[in-house]
Amino acid sequence: MSISINGSILEGGGQILRNSVALAALLGKPISIHKIRNGRKPPGLKNQHRTGLDLAAEIASAELTGATNGSTEIEFTPGPLKTPGDFVADSVTAGSTTLLLQIALPLLLFTYQPSTIPSRLTLKGGTNATQAPQVDYTEHVFLPFVQRHFGITADLQVKRRGYFPKGGGEVVVSVTPLAQRLKSFSLLERGNVRCIKGIAHFAKLPGHIGPSIVEGATKVLSTGLAEMSNIPIEIQSQRERNENTVGAGSGVVLWAELDGGGIIGGSAVGNKGTDASLLGEKAAQDLLRGLNAGGCVDEWLEDQIIIFMALAEGESAVLCGNAGGLQMHTRTAIWVAEKLTDAKFHTEQLESGHTVIRCKGIGYCASS
C-alpha cells in the first residue's frame, strides 16, 4: 500500500515532490502525491518537475504514473537503484538544472554493491534563474558544505550556461558512491568570517558588465563590513564565450566562509534594464542579510541539508539565523522527512533568537 502525501502542505511547492520521491526511492516505499503545487498558478507539474520525476524513476527503476504537464497527482513505485550509472535529464525549457540535481543527488550516493565508480549526471536546461539556486551557488556553497560535513564527494562542471528564458545550459555532475553511511555533524559555532569570494558571470553582453557587477558588490561589502575591514574579498569577473551560451544573461553569486565551518551565500540574477552595478549591490546586500542573521548557514542552504540530516547516522545539529523561526521551505523539508523516515527532528529557540535544528538520523545504507 502506498503512502499518501499531500502536496499542498506548508510551502506546497516542488520541494515536496523532490524530497518525497528521493526518500521513497531510497527506502523502497511506494508513494502517491496529490494536490501537487495546488496553490500555484497554474497548479500541477511543470516541465522541470516532470523531468525530475522521470530522472528519479530511471535511477530507481520505478513505475511512475500521472507524470504529465499540469497533473496534480502522481504515483511512484520504486525498484532497485541502478547506481552507479550514467544518466541524462533535459528539461528542454529553462527549467533549473540545480533542482534536477536536488532530486537525483541523494539517490546517486548509494549503491547495493560497494563501488568506487562515480555516477555521471548530465543535466540540461537553465543554470541561472531567480526561482532556484544558481549553479554557482550549488558549486561553491552547497557542494563544499555537504562534502565537509556529510562526507559527500561530487564534482560539478558547467559546460554551457543557460540563462532565462532560452535555457540551453548543460551541467555535468560526477557523484562518488559512499563507502559508508552519511556522517552526522554538529555546527553550532560560526566563528569569524574568514573570507568572501564570488563570481560575476555574463554572456553576450558588453565587456563592462562583469567589472561593474564586481564594483557594486565590493562597494556594499566594504561599507557593510566596515568593522571587519581586514576580511579578504575576492570576486571574479567571468565572461562566457558566445558559443558556451544560448542567450544573453548575467548574474552573481557571493559566499562567506566562516571559521567554524559554516558558509553563507548571497546572489542576484540580471534582467533586461537592470544596471550591472546595482546587480552587484543586490547580491552583496543578500549576503550581508545572511551574515547579520547570525547562523552558520543561510536560509537556502538550511532547507537543502534536511534530507541528508535525516539519512545520516547519529545526531546532527546546525545553528540557523532565523529570528522568527524556521523558513517555510525548511519546515516543509522536515515534515516530508518525518513522514517518510524514522528520523526525529527537534528545533530549539535560543535566547539570542537563533534556532538550532537537531536531527537523529536513520543511518541509511542501500543494503538496509
Side-chain angles (χ1 to χ4, degrees):
M1 185 175 178
S2 68
I3 299 172
S4 178
I5 304 288
N6 183 344
S8 67
I9 286 287
L10 296 171
E11 189 271 337
Q15 182 197 49
I16 293 178
L17 202 67
R18 292 187 293 273
N19 286 17
S20 295
V21 166
L23 289 172
L26 290 174
L27 298 168
K29 294 182 176 182
I31 62 169
S32 62
I33 308 177
H34 59 281
K35 294 185 178 180
I36 294 170
R37 302 181 69 251
N38 197 54
R40 302 298 197 261
K41 294 182 180 180
L45 299 176
K46 297 177 72 172
N47 213 58
Q48 71 174 34
H49 304 114
R50 181 188 54 74
T51 303
L53 290 171
D54 288 341
L55 174 60
E58 182 185 1
I59 298 172
S61 308
E63 180 182 339
L64 173 65
T65 59
T68 57
N69 286 9
S71 172
T72 57
E73 185 166 345
I74 62 108
E75 292 188 3
F76 183 88
T77 304
L81 296 173
K82 295 179 181 176
T83 52
D86 194 340
F87 306 96
V88 179
D90 186 354
S91 68
V92 181
T93 64
S96 171
T97 52
T98 59
L99 295 184
L100 293 176
L101 179 60
Q102 283 185 15
I103 198 170
L105 179 60
L107 309 186
L108 300 180
L109 295 175
F110 301 98
T111 178
Y112 294 114
Q113 300 297 326
S115 174
T116 58
I117 300 172
S119 287
R120 177 183 169 92
L121 183 62
T122 302
L123 303 172
K124 300 178 181 181
T127 60
N128 301 89
T130 56
Q131 300 300 315
Q134 292 193 61
V135 70
D136 310 271
Y137 179 97
T138 298
E139 181 179 6
H140 296 288
V141 178
F142 171 74
L143 288 179
F145 185 93
V146 296
Q147 178 166 356
R148 175 169 185 167
H149 296 289
F150 292 105
I152 292 170
T153 301
D155 176 69
L156 183 152
Q157 293 183 314
V158 182
K159 297 293 188 180
R160 185 168 61 250
R161 286 198 186 268
Y163 293 103
F164 183 84
K166 292 187 176 180
E170 181 175 332
V171 176
V172 176
V173 187
S174 175
V175 182
T176 303
L178 291 166
Q180 54 192 9
R181 289 173 170 85
L182 277 170
K183 65 180 184 180
S184 56
F185 75 101
S186 179
L187 184 56
L188 300 175
E189 300 291 337
R190 51 180 282 158
N192 295 321
V193 178
R194 180 185 302 165
C195 63
I196 292 176
K197 298 180 180 180
I199 293 177
H201 54 86
F202 66 106
K204 298 183 178 179
L205 293 171
H208 68 83
I209 295 294
S212 294
I213 296 173
V214 174
E215 181 182 358
T218 304
K219 180 180 69 175
V220 170
L221 291 174
S222 298
T223 303
L225 300 171
E227 297 179 359
M228 299 179 280
S229 57
N230 59 333
I231 297 174
I233 300 175
E234 303 172 11
I235 307 172
Q236 301 175 13
S237 172
Q238 181 176 301
R239 179 170 196 160
E240 302 293 338
R241 291 181 298 173
N242 287 347
E243 61 268 28
N244 279 1
T245 60
V246 175
S250 64
V252 54
V253 172
L254 309 172
W255 61 95
E257 298 176 7
L258 308 177
D259 282 337
I263 187 164
I264 306 290
S267 66
V269 177
N271 53 54
K272 193 172 183 178
T274 300
D275 184 87
S277 62
L278 293 179
L279 185 65
E281 292 178 16
K282 183 179 178 181
Q285 290 162 355
D286 190 32
L287 178 62
L288 289 175
R289 276 194 299 273
L291 287 171
N292 292 334
C296 296
V297 292
D298 62 57
E299 61 181 289
W300 312 115
L301 185 55
E302 175 188 300
D303 77 296
Q304 290 185 71
I305 63 176
I306 294 299
I307 189 171
F308 302 105
M309 294 174 74
L311 293 170
E313 184 173 38
E315 181 174 300
S316 297
V318 61
L319 176 68
C320 303
N322 314 102
L326 297 179
Q327 298 289 329
M328 184 66 78
H329 274 88
T330 305
R331 291 168 54 200
T332 305
I334 290 173
W335 181 86
V336 171
E338 291 190 326
K339 178 83 172 176
L340 288 171
T341 77
D342 292 327
K344 300 299 180 185
F345 284 84
H346 172 71
T347 58
E348 176 186 357
Q349 199 80 22
L350 305 180
E351 290 184 5
S352 62
H354 301 140
T355 302
V356 173
I357 302 175
R358 300 184 188 276
C359 174
K360 178 67 174 177
I362 64 173
Y364 175 83
C365 68
S367 61
S368 64

